[in-house]
Amino acid sequence: MVIEIIYSDGVSMIDDAFISYSRKDKDFVKALDTVFKKDNRGIWVDWENIPLTADFLKEIYTGIEAANNFIFIISPDSVASEYCGKEIVHAIAQNKRLIPILRREVDPKTVHPEIAALNWIFFRENDDFDKAFQSLLQSIDTDLGYIKAHTRLQVRALEWDSKKRNQSFLLRGDDLKDARQWLSVAYSKKTLPTPLQTQYINDSGLAEAKSQRKKIAAFGVGLMVTTVLAVVALYQYREADVQRKEAVEKKILALATESSARFHLQNDQLGALIGAIKSSQQLKQHSWLKEKEKTQIQTLGYLREIVYGVKEHNYLQGHTGQVWSLSFSPDGQTIASGSDDGDVILWDKHGKRLKPLERQGGRIYSVSFSPDGQTIAAASSDRTVKRWNKDGVRIKPLTGHNNTVRDVQFSPDGQIIASASTDKTVKLWSKDGVPLKTLPHEGGVYSVSFSPDGQTIASGDNNKKLKLWSKNGDLLGTFPGHTERITKVTFSPDGKTIASGSTDDTVRLWKLDGRLLKPIKTINTNSNVYSVSFSPDSKIVASAATDNKVRLWNLNGDLLNTLQKHNNSVLDVKFSPDGKTIASAGADSTVKLWTRKNDLLKTLYAHLDSVQSVSFSSDNTRLASGGEDATVILWKPDGTVLKRLTGHIDRINSVRFSPDSQILASASYDNTIKLWSKDGVLKKTLRGHRDEVRSVAWSPDGQMLASASADKTIVLWKRDGTILTTLQGHTDGVRDVSFSPDGKLIASASDDQTVRLWSIEGKLRQILTGHKGKVITVRFSPDGKLITSAGKDKIIKFWNLDGTLSKNLQRHTAGVTEVSWSPDGRFMASASEHNTIILWNREGKLLKKFWGHEGSVTSVSFSPNGQSLVSASADNTVKIWNLGDRNQEASDLDDLLKKGCDWVKDYLETNPNKESDRDLCDAPK
């Protein structure tokens, strides 16, 4: 049935569609608008390139609300646009019919999931425009009466809501009758009613029933009629309430899913966190949702994923051009940024804009604080070095260069200023502005830096040479190595190392004598490096590149972390004096502030391929991981790499410390087991299997080692590597092996879909059957009363020691790769090929779900104190999760909301585009 509501009192103009697009597709949208007008269609298009102020954003949102359809023009620019993202989110919140148009090819993974899931209409350059337009009109006209009614009802419901739900704006008479009829079919449609629409119709019905009862009473109609009406109204109310609750639940899940997509696909960390906070606040508001376990787990899981993984702390908006440079004041309280727009802006460390320094003309390429924090200098395209005192009063500029000045730096004692220019010189000036020395180069100079003791100056030019000079201007050495222009040079704070970045896509580390330590390639070899910076402790190098990312490296060249992303090239990066904050400046006109460490989650980057196994030592001083790169890595619990262990010639499947933490065993595809000291010295290689060794386990007393192999056997070894016995009986490869806590039993899991129990002497005791796929993992509970097994059939089974099945846990959506018990036996964690970890209590109740890995989770293990969980993944990373309160999901919600709100506090207070969310975390939710 098609229902179209026509209101006698009129509604504001309803458009056929709202068009969301990138400005780069403006010509196409104009052509589209022209043919729409010829067809007498009303289309809402924003033709003005106006910043999204609160008022303008409200106008945009009103346009979306008053349109029957939401058309999204898909192109690389629109899917990356923050503004288009806002429009999509609002259209989804209004339950608008979404119509995607593909104008320019994109990676589908970058498209909003609600858009990506729909059928796209192809309007590419080579597509038939007229044919595509007819398909578009057909989409717009499908179920037209219902869609028009949806829009009109939403417009009226929003007006009612904006008028503080004044009853005079409720539906009456035929309007209410038609609306109820519309709602009766609405939940069978793809375009669902919004919760506000349902509430609006429901409240209108209740108000009319109340009015009717009053009229009936006034005319003396009997109690029975009133009761009948009340019963009818109650029935209608309950039906509407069920529908309202369904709509609320769907909206919460949609907002939570949208937040996760923003986090992973768009790298919009702060926007994702705000969305996750909103969805979780709504979850908390509705007590009846406590019974909706799936909604609780999924919504909290996405919030946890973002709270654990967020690194972006704030972004600073105020510049209208590319931000080329930034600098922290020596006390870390102030940040200065310089831009193409000619402004140097001061911000406090939280991101609050303080004031711009008086503009003096020219693009700003570099800003620098003097060591005492009293002076700010800026390198400019107008061939001068600008200067201000800390109060913003202008100081006479330094003049003398014949071309653009690209860099300016103070000596550590503040007595000398060095400026680098494309006129092929570095000039040295006294702090009073007196020229001291000119250092000649063969090409334009883009960067200059003083050593921490002030005795040496480094400079880099477009002649690909790094030069070292004495502070008196004597050339100490010229060091070739880069193959393109050097964009940045800097000394480490300890004075031992020089880092240089170049448009040849490398960061290079040099000793002071010019010897190259190690070249560090960016991951994307087409990404020019524009800036490099050392952490205050000299252990980490940050690089900024044209692929929009900041990367963190250790001095061995290992990638530690990637901070993403700006919406354009990253042009500068700096550490705060305390090393806790990283600031990056971009061609997208923003400065981003990143918190270097998130205490809830550490992500360890050092493996070059999939990580297959991870394990803590019992004394909690070591963490070991092994993987596809045939390498075992020893880490400190804080994530510092202690040592790389090489010797295996193929993938490492399993790593396990002995109970006394003195020996590490590693099992490999190369058919061997290697025993290492806790410090990483190879002690022995065990050979005895005829195929890959998939798992190793130590007996509780540490005197025996068991190994499981694809050759269908389990081998028991003495601690010294002598073979004790071989257990045979499985009919396919053995995947895992585990000792009981008392050391009297051994459990093995196999591709033959069974778990087998053996005596310590090697006698087969039980065969546990019931799995419908390969059994990948098996573990005893710490009290020895339960055996847990899991595998490709996605089911975790709890078995009693007599072989009877106690329980099935069926919450994973892909194969289970490992189960692990907490040391106290109260909790169990399971890892899945679907990139997730689930935390359970001993009774099998799902407590928490962890998302965060971008590939299969291959291994999971508790820390000795049970407070942390470590996981390994096919995404080449190891993650250490802070578990917090493992018992109560309700307290977990409160805790996560508090942590999320604490994180976004600065962003909400300082960002001019977040006026509507300013009080997000202020009032009790």
Side-chain angles (χ1 to χ4, degrees), residues 658-847:
S658 59
D660 61 6
S661 301
Q662 297 302 304
I663 300 177
L664 174 68
S666 58
S668 172
Y669 250 54
D670 64 12
N671 302 0
T672 71
I673 302 155
K674 291 185 182 292
L675 303 182
W676 316 79
S677 73
K678 69 175 182 178
D679 297 319
V681 177
L682 181 62
K683 299 172 69 68
K684 186 163 290 189
T685 299
L686 311 186
R687 306 178 191 277
H689 285 290
R690 300 184 306 280
D691 206 337
E692 64 175 279
V693 189
R694 292 171 167 173
S695 177
V696 287
W698 290 93
S699 61
D701 63 5
Q703 298 306 305
M704 188 182 298
L705 183 72
S707 57
S709 171
D711 66 8
K712 309 177 186 179
T713 69
I714 299 106
V715 174
L716 303 184
W717 314 75
K718 287 184 179 180
R719 186 182 175 100
D720 63 6
T722 305
I723 294 179
L724 288 170
T725 187
T726 299
L727 312 185
Q728 300 184 22
H730 281 293
T731 59
D732 207 337
V734 188
R735 290 278 180 173
D736 199 13
V737 62
S738 178
F739 282 91
S740 62
D742 61 7
K744 295 179 179 179
L745 291 176
I746 298 169
S748 57
S750 170
D751 289 348
D752 65 12
Q753 305 185 16
T754 71
V755 171
R756 296 182 184 235
L757 300 183
W758 315 77
S759 70
I760 195 67
E761 296 78 24
K763 182 179 179 181
L764 181 63
R765 291 284 189 86
Q766 290 271 356
I767 300 177
L768 312 184
T769 60
H771 281 288
K772 303 300 182 184
K774 297 176 180 178
V775 190
I776 306 299
T777 178
V778 63
R779 292 289 185 275
F780 285 90
S781 60
D783 62 5
K785 295 180 179 180
L786 289 174
I787 302 166
T788 51
S789 62
K792 289 291 186 179
D793 62 4
K794 313 172 193 175
I795 298 172
I796 300 172
K797 291 183 179 292
F798 281 26
W799 310 85
N800 300 311
L801 288 187
D802 62 5
T804 57
L805 182 64
S806 171
K807 191 172 297 183
N808 282 329
L809 308 183
Q810 303 185 54
R811 300 302 294 271
H812 281 291
T813 58
V816 182
T817 53
E818 188 165 37
V819 294
S820 176
W821 284 89
S822 63
D824 60 10
R826 295 169 60 203
F827 306 99
M828 184 186 73
S830 55
S832 164
E833 293 174 343
H834 195 240
N835 309 359
T836 60
I837 301 163
I838 293 180
L839 185 69
W840 316 78
N841 67 13
R842 183 182 175 87
E843 289 70 42
K845 180 185 177 183
L846 192 156
L847 298 177

Side-chain angles (χ1 to χ4, degrees), residues 273 277 280-281 284 300 303 307 600 890-905 921 925:
L273 180 53
I277 289 171
S280 297
Q281 285 175 341
K284 189 176 179 180
L300 279 184
L303 176 62
V307 168
L600 293 174
S891 65
D892 194 33
L893 170 58
D894 293 335
D895 183 56
L896 287 171
L897 280 173
K898 182 181 184 304
K899 286 181 169 65
C901 284
D902 288 346
W903 190 278
V904 297
K905 182 175 181 291
C921 296
K925 301 294 182 182

